[in-house]
Amino acid sequence: MEIISIEAGTFEAMNKALSSLIESVRTRNGKLLKEDLSDWIDNQDVCIMMDISPRKLLTLRRTGEIPYSRIDRKIYYRKKDIIMYMEKMLQNGND
């Protein structure tokens, strides 16, 4: 076992810097998680938002018209992708 000795003041400065870094990472990650998670919605929310059936949503996924992500068995969509699809449909005059 190797023993390294440092001055108490140096140790305290290193400890303070590490604590500051940990707090900074926690703050940034907390903000990012809150922002990122609120941008994603699940199947039920999309069906309600678009007023479509789950089967129609499945068809849109399979044809690649709506991008999605899967985490385990649950499927999520970005709100902006759904809104873009809806705007495109309105411009084309399709349902």
Side-chain angles (χ1 to χ4, degrees):
M1 179 165 76
E2 185 177 344
I3 298 175
I4 299 173
S5 65
I6 58 173
E7 294 178 351
T10 304
F11 177 75
E12 288 176 16
M14 288 172 50
N15 206 9
K16 188 182 283 188
L18 182 59
S19 295
S20 175
L21 179 63
I22 290 170
E23 186 61 33
S24 175
V25 168
R26 283 185 182 156
T27 301
R28 286 187 184 141
N29 283 344
K31 288 179 184 174
L32 289 175
L33 282 177
K34 288 177 187 173
E35 291 170 4
D36 290 345
L37 292 180
S38 67
D39 292 339
W40 292 85
I41 54 179
D42 63 6
N43 278 335
Q44 183 178 1
D45 293 333
V46 173
C47 287
I48 291 169
M49 186 176 176
M50 295 178 65
D51 193 27
I52 60 173
S53 68
R55 180 70 184 162
K56 173 68 176 175
L57 184 56
L58 175 63
T59 303
L60 293 173
R61 271 197 326 264
R62 285 186 175 168
T63 59
E65 293 183 59
I66 295 179
Y68 66 94
S69 293
R70 182 187 304 263
I71 299 177
D72 196 17
R73 294 180 181 161
K74 192 148 172 110
I75 296 172
Y76 295 95
Y77 309 84
R78 288 189 307 185
K79 278 184 188 178
K80 70 178 187 176
D81 290 334
I82 301 303
I83 292 169
M84 285 175 30
Y85 174 79
M86 291 172 70
E87 287 173 350
K88 184 176 86 174
M89 290 297 104
L90 285 172
Q91 288 173 355
N92 293 340
N94 297 335
D95 288 302

